[in-house]
Amino acid sequence: MDGNLTTDGGVNSNPLYCRHCGSQFLDVKKAQRVENETSQSHLQRLNDASSTEVSSSFWQVNDMWDFDNFGQSRPVGVSASADPNVTPETVYVVCADCEKGPVGVRWRAGEPYYVSHSLIVYEPKEGAPANGALPTGMSEDFIRQLMVQREAQGGGEAEEAPVVVVEEEAAVAPSERKEGEEQEEQPKDEEDTEAKNK
């Protein structure tokens, strides 16, 4: 792993980005550099279809809340893999935006996540949204207008929705009809309604 990617303490000095869509996974100083051959061999088997060589260098993320952009698979389950390290609690790390991956693994609940150095990038992709950026089509003015509207409606407190009562004739189920009684066909649109009213 390149020395300029870590601080003197071995933590990441650059953000980690998805290599597919450029979304930011992790901010600076959130992960410790570690060597992890178990995760390397497992992720290499999963990525055999790609030409990417998975190195044994990983970023250890101790808390899932340290991620900026994070998706994880459902627990894999032991039967899904021949790897003896896979447990019923094993999950894979994927990009929450483009859902590509896996780029990492967590073996058991409560243990750290390991994000592969080889499966992420360290520079944002051109055109990728900046971390914390508003979704496309939204502006700060739009958000401010929504906030003003919310305050005008009662200071942001949840209001009870108005109740709308619609009275209609109850339809009679075919099994409840008397013998020989036909239910009147309901008009399908305005023309049918006008024709019936004439």
Side-chain angles (χ1 to χ4, degrees):
M1 186 183 293
D2 192 351
N4 65 0
L5 297 176
T6 59
T7 65
D8 292 337
V11 296
N12 63 310
S13 58
N14 292 31
L16 280 57
Y17 299 95
C18 174
R19 66 182 175 157
H20 300 285
C21 72
S23 186
Q24 184 173 317
F25 273 113
L26 203 63
D27 207 356
V28 297
K29 298 182 181 176
K30 296 286 185 177
Q32 184 76 36
R33 181 194 173 274
V34 296
E35 294 295 314
N36 190 316
E37 291 181 10
T38 302
S39 297
Q40 174 205 10
S41 62
H42 186 73
L43 288 176
Q44 186 63 60
R45 279 194 298 275
L46 293 175
N47 284 289
D48 268 347
S50 75
S51 59
T52 303
E53 181 71 29
V54 179
S55 77
S56 62
S57 292
F58 281 79
W59 295 106
Q60 179 179 312
V61 183
N62 293 322
D63 188 345
M64 67 183 264
W65 300 108
D66 286 338
F67 284 98
D68 293 332
N69 168 24
F70 173 71
Q72 75 179 24
S73 69
R74 290 187 173 153
V76 177
V78 178
S79 63
S81 174
D83 190 325
N85 297 300
V86 173
T87 72
E89 300 171 334
T90 299
V91 295
Y92 297 118
V93 178
V94 298
C95 177
D97 286 338
C98 71
E99 299 179 354
K100 299 263 173 103
V103 298
V105 64
R106 186 209 66 203
W107 295 106
R108 288 170 191 78
E111 290 187 355
Y113 293 85
Y114 296 97
V115 177
S116 173
H117 159 70
S118 311
L119 300 175
I120 49 99
V121 294
Y122 300 93
E123 294 292 326
K125 205 171 196 171
E126 190 175 324
N131 192 34
L134 293 171
T136 305
M138 281 196 180
S139 66
E140 288 183 31
D141 288 337
F142 177 75
I143 300 297
R144 283 190 197 99
Q145 289 173 357
L146 287 176
M147 291 170 62
V148 167
Q149 287 175 357
R150 176 102 179 167
E151 287 175 14
Q153 293 175 351
E157 295 177 15
E159 295 180 10
E160 199 172 304
V163 177
V164 178
V165 178
V166 177
E167 292 184 26
E168 293 183 18
E169 284 185 34
V172 178
S175 61
E176 296 174 3
R177 290 187 199 138
K178 294 178 187 170
E179 201 172 306
E181 183 181 24
E182 297 270 337
Q183 184 174 356
E184 186 176 320
E185 190 176 315
Q186 297 295 320
K188 291 185 175 113
D189 57 24
E190 289 180 28
E191 289 177 15
D192 288 345
T193 305
E194 288 176 20
K196 263 195 161 181
N197 291 336
K198 286 186 181 180

